[in-house]
Amino acid sequence: MEFDNLHALLRNLYTEMMPLCTDMAGVAKGIAGLGALFYVAMRVWQSLARAEPIDVYPMLRPFAIGFCILFFPTIVLGTLNAVLSPVVQGTAKLLDGQTIDMEQYQEQKDKLEYEINMRNPETAYLVSQEEYDRQLEELGWSPGDMWTMTKMYLDRKMYQVKKWVRDLMREALELLFAAASLLIDTLRTFFLVVLSILGPIAFGIAVWDGFQSTLTQWLSRYIQIYLWLPVSDLFGAVLARIQTLMLQADIERMQNDPNFSLDSSDGAYIVFMIIGILGYFTIPTVAGWIIQAGGGTGNYNRHVNTAGALAGGVAGAAAGNVAGRVGRGAVTAGRYAKKGIGKIFGRK
């Protein structure tokens, strides 16, 4: 399945798990009812003991919380999701627009690279099988031409290996990049499902004296984790925009400088993708800047950042190791092949 379908699957999972909130409402009503009894009784007894008039307004708090528990999926979750969903939709549209631009510039860059190689007779056979066959037919089959044909074959294979390694590293890093985004979305969905299903319990406990902060902590954590997706989309949009600017710069240099090499551009792209993988694991921290949630969320954010640093280091080391080994192996194989063919034709 494509990663977009997996993200859509997670959204459907959250929607399908919401009816489970009703199962917890019965337990929450018992907890809240008992808490409301002690809450109201204590305040009435305090007012009577002090010979003070009974203040009814503070006693309405347990009843308001109980009303929220009775209609938790509609009143609480429905209101929160209705308020926060426009933020998600806006950032998703922003990400889609930037991604489309990046894909168009990538296609333009690949096409321009092909045209540059085709305009140069010395490199046209590297990218075109027809041009390679045509030049072979023009050479004939003399011993001298056989050496030239073999050299052309080796150059073409070296170019294909180099291009294969470049595409392999790019696809591997893009896969890790998409996996980091999916990991954040999966954790977000899991936390939201847990908070939603056990939300009535948190509301019921909040009725008791000493646990009033449970309500505000639940709300702040739900909003913070819900904002992971908009922050992730914004981060992806920023990365896509930077990639678009890089592609525009490469295209401009390729159009103005015929000797421009893509090696440095590919190296910068690889480094940038590693930075992007690391950046995805800072999303919980950035969401915490928008709304602060106490408790264990901060410790979790530190663990996520540590895991992100480790994942980025592994990705960078693996990419560098693969590129180095494949590159050295291809160069060594080409040298030995040329030496062997040179000995066959009496050349060094």
Side-chain angles (χ1 to χ4, degrees), residues 255-277:
Q255 292 175 345
N256 299 329
D257 186 6
N259 298 322
F260 172 66
S261 175
L262 292 175
D263 293 339
S264 59
S265 175
D266 293 334
Y269 179 81
I270 291 173
V271 173
F272 176 74
M273 289 299 296
I274 295 175
I275 295 173
I277 294 172

Side-chain angles (χ1 to χ4, degrees), residues 23 28 52 126 134 152 170 189 262 284 319:
D23 299 336
E52 297 175 351
L126 297 176
R134 186 186 66 79
M152 289 175 57
R170 184 175 68 180
T189 303
L262 292 175

